[in-house]
Amino acid sequence: ANHDAYDISPWLCYNKNVKIRKLVVEEGVTSIGRNAFGNTDIEWRDYKGNFLHWSNQHMFLESVSLPESVTRIEARAFLGCIALCNVELPSSLQTIGCGAFSGCEKLEYLEIPQSVREVGPSAFHNTPFERKLLSKTGLIMINNCTYHYGGNDEYVEIPDGTEVIGRELFKDHKELTGVKIPYGVKKISKEAFCGCTGLKSITIPDS
C-alpha cells in the first residue's frame, strides 16, 4: 500500500508490545509515507472519544529493505528510529523527504543510489552519516542535488552538473550577497533563499 496520505504512523493500532527489529517492504509499494515508521509519541482519541497515549515501537527497528518499486521516501518516514543501522535503498529511488532519517543515531553508512534527484532538508539530521557529510565545509552535494551549505561566503557558485537546488539550502545566510546558478538546473526548491536578507543578485543562465 502507498502510505503517503498518512500524517501519523499507519501502524498506530499495532500491538505496542511487539518490538519490530527488521522491516522488509514487498514489491509493489511505491512510496514510504510521512511518519510511516517514525518513532514519536502520539496522543489521540479512539473511536469512542477516549483520550489515549501511544508510544511508537519502531525505536527497536534495526534493518530496513525497500523494493525496486519504491521511488519516494516521504518526510519523517523513519524519524527517530534510534536503533536503525542498516538500510537498503533501491536503485529506483528518486526522492528522500525532509527529516526522513532524522535522529537515526546508529545510521553510520548509507549507499544513496544515483537515481536520487532530490533530498529534503535535515533528511539525515543527527546521524553519524550526516556528520561525515558535514565534516566538509561549504556546499555539500548528494548526487546532482545540493543538500547543505555550511559556509559563510558572500558569493557562491553552484557547481556544474547540479540539477536540483535543495530546499532551505541557503536559509538565513544573511551574509550571502550573490549566487550563480549553472546551466542544467531543473528545479529550485522551496525556501532555498529564505531569510537571505543581504542577497542582491542571482545569476541564472538563459536556459
Side-chain angles (χ1 to χ4, degrees):
N2 188 333
H3 296 303
D4 62 4
Y6 283 79
D7 286 321
I8 56 176
S9 172
W11 315 109
L12 188 63
C13 298
Y14 195 74
N15 185 346
K16 67 180 181 179
N17 295 317
V18 175
K19 298 176 180 179
I20 300 174
R21 300 189 185 277
K22 183 177 181 180
L23 170 69
V24 178
V25 179
E26 294 185 353
E27 189 71 26
V29 174
T30 60
S31 173
I32 307 300
R34 296 190 304 273
N35 299 303
F37 300 97
N39 181 37
T40 54
D41 285 346
I42 299 172
E43 294 180 335
W44 61 298
R45 294 181 183 273
D46 64 11
Y47 68 98
K48 293 182 178 179
N50 297 316
F51 189 75
L52 303 172
H53 182 272
W54 178 80
S55 182
N56 197 318
Q57 72 275 27
H58 300 123
M59 62 183 296
F60 302 102
L61 187 62
E62 298 174 354
S63 175
V64 171
S65 179
L66 302 179
E68 289 298 317
S69 56
V70 169
T71 60
R72 300 179 63 89
I73 298 175
E74 301 287 356
R76 305 177 301 278
F78 297 98
L79 171 70
C81 291
I82 58 176
L84 187 60
C85 58
N86 181 27
V87 179
E88 296 179 18
L89 300 177
S91 60
S92 56
L93 187 64
Q94 298 176 15
T95 302
I96 300 175
C98 57
F101 293 95
S102 180
C104 296
E105 300 173 358
K106 292 189 177 180
L107 190 60
E108 296 187 14
Y109 174 78
L110 189 63
E111 185 173 349
I112 299 179
Q114 289 298 313
S115 58
V116 171
R117 289 291 177 265
E118 189 167 358
V119 181
S122 302
F124 311 106
H125 178 65
N126 198 26
T127 67
F129 174 74
E130 187 184 67
R131 283 193 285 274
K132 291 177 183 177
L133 285 178
L134 303 191
S135 63
K136 305 174 184 178
T137 57
L139 189 63
I140 308 300
M141 303 287 297
I142 295 180
N143 295 343
N144 296 326
C145 173
T146 61
Y147 175 65
H148 176 81
Y149 177 68
N152 56 7
D153 298 320
E154 292 184 1
Y155 182 77
V156 174
E157 290 191 16
I158 306 295
D160 291 339
T162 300
E163 294 183 359
V164 176
I165 295 177
R167 184 171 177 176
E168 300 180 8
L169 179 65
F170 296 108
K171 185 175 182 179
D172 294 330
H173 280 271
K174 295 177 173 58
E175 76 285 350
L176 190 66
T177 61
V179 176
K180 182 179 180 180
I181 297 175
Y183 177 85
V185 168
K186 300 176 181 178
K187 180 179 181 179
I188 300 176
S189 301
K190 293 180 180 179
E191 301 179 339
F193 302 101
C194 178
C196 296
T197 54
L199 188 61
K200 298 176 180 179
S201 68
I202 300 176
T203 304
I204 301 176
D206 292 338
S207 61

